[in-house]
């Protein structure tokens, strides 16, 4: 069986335990050999991250330094055009070959928005979708047509993810982590502690750079 590989996209402004812990648990649950973290290039017409691309990358490097499950891929940051997940996965599929099982990891909030993503139907042609739980978001899609789309692709079997190269949606029973980058930025701005929410090395770097003040 070819080992399943997954890509994990986000802004990571900053990276926190709500990103890392559910994915480490997910990897154990389904036998995931590699998770490639890919920070987004935020297009100019969207609200910009507070940290620069270099700072977001460095925080990720610090967060995964002692975690061999994770690897960093900076390809989206190197582009100056908007990075669409559908295009990134198309490119990744070309590189990995047609039979390699590939997956894209998202949180529950992103699943609810997923049908509004550029070319979302094509994403499942190139990868499975692995969804981690996140507190505060409903489990069902807002529109009936999107719920049907979800149910059509849903699997409860981790084996399916290893046997097919793409096309399944797996709702992982990962624990809830009530953490967001927005909450961390707000707490830091108010001088409140975030010690339990992200790795100490990342927090030290944030203070050293004077970020989120
Ligand atoms: P912000 O608060 O700035 O919007 P965020 O904390 O939601 O940021 P992102 O970088 O936007 O983080 O998220 C990247 C991915 O991680 C998304 O798929 C998102 O659903 C997922 N994610 C973020 N936080 C959590 C969490 N606490 N639990 C599960 N998934 C999460």
């Amino acid at each position: 069986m070819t080992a399943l590989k997954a890509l994990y996209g986000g802004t990571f402004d900053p990276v926190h335990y709500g990103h890392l812990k559910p994915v480490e648990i997910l990897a154990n649950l389904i036998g995931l050999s590699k998770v490639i973290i890919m920070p987004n290039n935020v297009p100019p017409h969207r609200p910009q991250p507070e940290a620069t691309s270099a700072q977001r990358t460095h925080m990720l490097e610090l967060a995964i330094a002692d975690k061999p499950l994770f690897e960093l891929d900076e390809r989206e940051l190197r582009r100056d055009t908007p990075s669409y997940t559908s295009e990134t996965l198309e490119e990744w599929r070309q590189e990995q070959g047609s039979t390699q099982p590939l997956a894209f990891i998202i949180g529950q909030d992103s699943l609810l928005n997923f049908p509004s993503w550029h070319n979302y139907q094509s994403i499942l042609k190139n990868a499975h979708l692995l969804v981690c739980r996140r507190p505060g978001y409903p489990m069902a899609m807002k529109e009936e047509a999107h719920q049907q789309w979800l149910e059509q692709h849903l699997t409860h079997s981790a084996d399916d993810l290893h046997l097919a190269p793409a096309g399944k949606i797996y709702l992982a029973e990962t624990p809830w982590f009530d953490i967001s980058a927005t909450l961390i930025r707000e707490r830091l701005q108010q001088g409140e502690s975030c010690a339990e929410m992200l790795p100490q090395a990342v927090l030290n770097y944030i203070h050293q750079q004077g970020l989120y003040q």
Side-chain angles (χ1 to χ4, degrees):
M1 210 186 291
T2 329
L4 174 65
K5 293 183 192 175
L7 207 62
Y8 190 28
T11 313
F12 305 108
D13 183 30
V15 60
H16 54 70
Y17 285 141
H19 296 128
L20 301 170
K21 291 193 174 176
V23 172
E24 288 179 291
I25 294 165
L26 167 71
N28 277 327
L29 278 176
I30 64 170
L32 199 52
S33 63
K34 220 13 125 193
V35 174
I36 299 155
I37 299 189
M38 190 175 286
N40 292 335
N41 170 25
V42 182
H45 60 277
R46 302 275 293 277
Q48 289 299 298
E50 285 194 39
T52 65
S53 296
Q55 287 170 324
R56 290 186 291 130
T57 304
H58 192 65
M59 290 189 279
L60 282 165
E61 282 167 351
L62 292 169
I64 65 173
D66 58 351
K67 298 182 189 300
L69 172 67
F70 295 104
E71 248 173 45
L72 198 57
D73 187 320
E74 296 175 49
R75 76 178 69 193
E76 291 197 346
L77 293 178
R78 285 194 292 266
R79 287 187 197 137
D80 16 280
T81 50
S83 23
Y84 290 122
T85 301
S86 57
E87 289 170 3
T88 302
L89 287 176
E90 184 73 49
E91 190 181 302
W92 200 37
R93 171 57 70 195
Q94 300 290 327
E95 289 167 18
Q96 298 287 327
S98 60
T99 57
Q100 167 67 49
L102 298 177
F104 189 70
I105 302 174
I106 55 176
Q108 179 67 27
D109 56 312
S110 302
L111 177 68
L112 299 174
N113 288 331
F114 192 77
S116 69
W117 290 21
H118 179 74
N119 225 346
Y120 81 100
Q121 306 269 17
S122 91
I123 295 178
L124 276 182
K125 296 208 177 87
N126 288 313
H128 303 300
L129 214 50
L130 310 178
V131 185
C132 293
R133 287 178 170 170
R134 189 170 187 180
Y137 296 93
M139 290 302 282
M141 307 297 283
K142 273 184 237 122
E143 286 181 33
E144 183 52 33
H146 295 154
Q147 183 63 24
Q148 276 176 17
W149 164 84
L150 169 64
E151 284 167 17
Q152 261 166 25
H153 294 278
L154 203 57
T155 182
H156 300 286
S157 151
D159 286 347
D160 279 357
L161 305 169
H162 292 266
L163 292 170
K168 303 283 179 196
I169 302 177
Y170 182 82
L171 304 181
E173 297 194 354
T174 49
W176 281 358
F177 292 92
D178 198 1
I179 308 173
S180 71
T182 305
L183 177 67
I184 291 175
R185 293 194 300 271
E186 286 171 1
R187 288 181 66 90
L188 289 172
Q189 208 183 13
Q190 287 158 17
E192 291 169 14
S193 166
C194 294
E196 309 295 312
M197 297 184 180
L198 68 174
Q200 189 59 45
V202 176
L203 204 48
N204 292 346
Y205 178 76
I206 287 172
H207 292 313
Q208 182 219 319
Q209 296 282 306
L211 274 168
Y212 313 123
Q213 283 182 350

